[in-house]
Amino acid sequence: MAAKTTTVTTGGVHAQPLRGIVRGSALALLALGALLAAGCDDDDVVAPIGPPQDVVPPAAPQAVKTVTGDARVTITWLRNTEPDLAGYRVYRGTDSYEGPFSPLGTTSSLGWVDQTVINGATYFYAVSAFDAAGNEGELSAENTFDTPRPEGTNVTLTPSSLEPDLPSGYDFSTGLARLSTNPETDVHFEVVDGTRLMVARDLSTDIQDAGFRPLDELDWAPEEGWSPTGTAELILGHSYYVWTRTDNFAKFRVTALSNTQVRFDWAFQLQAGNPELLRTPRRTAETMAVSVPGAQK
């Protein structure tokens, strides 16, 4: 049966037409009339009842960490599990773990690459999560920081036996190949009785073999394990730490090797004396004396 439009007037109050009331709905009309008869004072306005508002924010992201790069820092974290998760907001500060922090941006992925950094400066990072209702959770709890540094690839050195025609040494601070005798050289390449070596330039420079590891995994200088002779046998695919005389940290990974050349990728930390890079006392002249015969000191 077709619906009709009904206008109800009661107690001097003219109600708007009620659409969709079907003939025979007398009980509904009576109930509505009673409600209107009770009065429509402005003070008696009742807010409409709707679904409950979401005010619960997501949890703070977990396992926030960074990977150091050349004028860049990559921040990653684990995925939140909230069903209404909308994304993440990445923050950066320059003072301490406690902040203050400024937002870098938002993302729905599990990582962020900060390319607005300067090599040698330290940055502190935190991440929060937000949901579809706009609720933002707490900042991540990890003390996450990073100090970007310069890096290079495909550096080629020849053995010291070919000097002075070709350089065997490398200066990480400038990214330049130098003669092994140059005072700015950090390490140099030698072949002794068929053994291929990287040799520290002096007593104030150390080297250590880190094994078959990607270069990015060498984030921190080790507490121990430095070569007592200041030499390390070069092995294809191995990565190495170097502690320079200027108290800087360097690392390199061998990508090609023969008796006539070594090729490697490298990175160098500009920030001298960084507390995260401090190490145990260096070797002495006595231990240096047991170096491979023929190696230059």
Side-chain angles (χ1 to χ4, degrees), residues 10 14 30 183 208 214 247 250 260 267-268 280:
T10 178
H14 184 271
L30 288 174
Q208 181 178 156
D247 199 23
T260 59
F268 176 77
T280 52

Side-chain angles (χ1 to χ4, degrees), residues 52-57 131 133 135:
Q53 183 178 2
D54 178 10
V55 295
V56 180
D131 61 23
N135 300 306

Side-chain angles (χ1 to χ4, degrees), residues 57-188:
Q62 301 293 312
V64 178
K65 62 182 181 179
T66 62
V67 176
T68 310
D70 185 356
R72 60 188 284 154
V73 175
T74 300
I75 308 101
T76 61
W77 54 89
L78 296 179
R79 185 181 303 278
N80 277 48
T81 59
E82 292 84 358
D84 61 342
L85 181 72
Y88 305 91
R89 182 167 285 111
V90 181
Y91 292 85
R92 186 184 75 188
T94 57
D95 292 343
S96 75
Y97 304 119
E98 302 297 328
F101 293 97
S102 299
L104 289 177
T106 61
T107 179
S108 58
S109 69
L110 298 179
W112 181 276
V113 180
D114 184 5
Q115 296 180 299
T116 61
V117 295
I118 299 173
N119 284 338
T122 298
Y123 300 88
F124 302 87
Y125 294 93
V127 183
S128 68
F130 59 89
D131 61 23
N135 300 306
E136 182 175 0
E138 296 292 329
L139 294 179
S140 51
E142 291 86 356
N143 293 332
T144 307
F145 73 99
D146 215 305
T147 307
R149 75 290 179 274
E151 61 186 26
T153 59
N154 297 324
V155 172
T156 300
L157 300 178
T158 54
S160 58
S161 59
L162 298 181
E163 291 186 343
D165 296 331
L166 296 172
S168 68
Y170 199 70
D171 173 7
F172 289 105
S173 66
T174 60
L176 295 176
R178 301 183 184 276
L179 295 178
S180 61
T181 55
N182 190 303
E184 300 301 317
T185 293
D186 295 313
V187 293
H188 66 271

Side-chain angles (χ1 to χ4, degrees), residues 155-162 166 168 188-198 232-237 240 254-264:
V155 172
T156 300
L157 300 178
T158 54
S160 58
S161 59
L162 298 181
L166 296 172
S168 68
H188 66 271
F189 176 43
E190 285 195 13
V191 178
V192 180
D193 297 330
T195 301
R196 301 148 183 168
L197 301 171
M198 194 68 85
E233 181 178 356
L234 295 176
I235 299 174
L236 182 63
Y240 300 81
V254 177
T255 58
L257 183 63
S258 70
N259 285 342
T260 59
Q261 68 173 27
V262 59
R263 187 167 68 237
F264 57 87

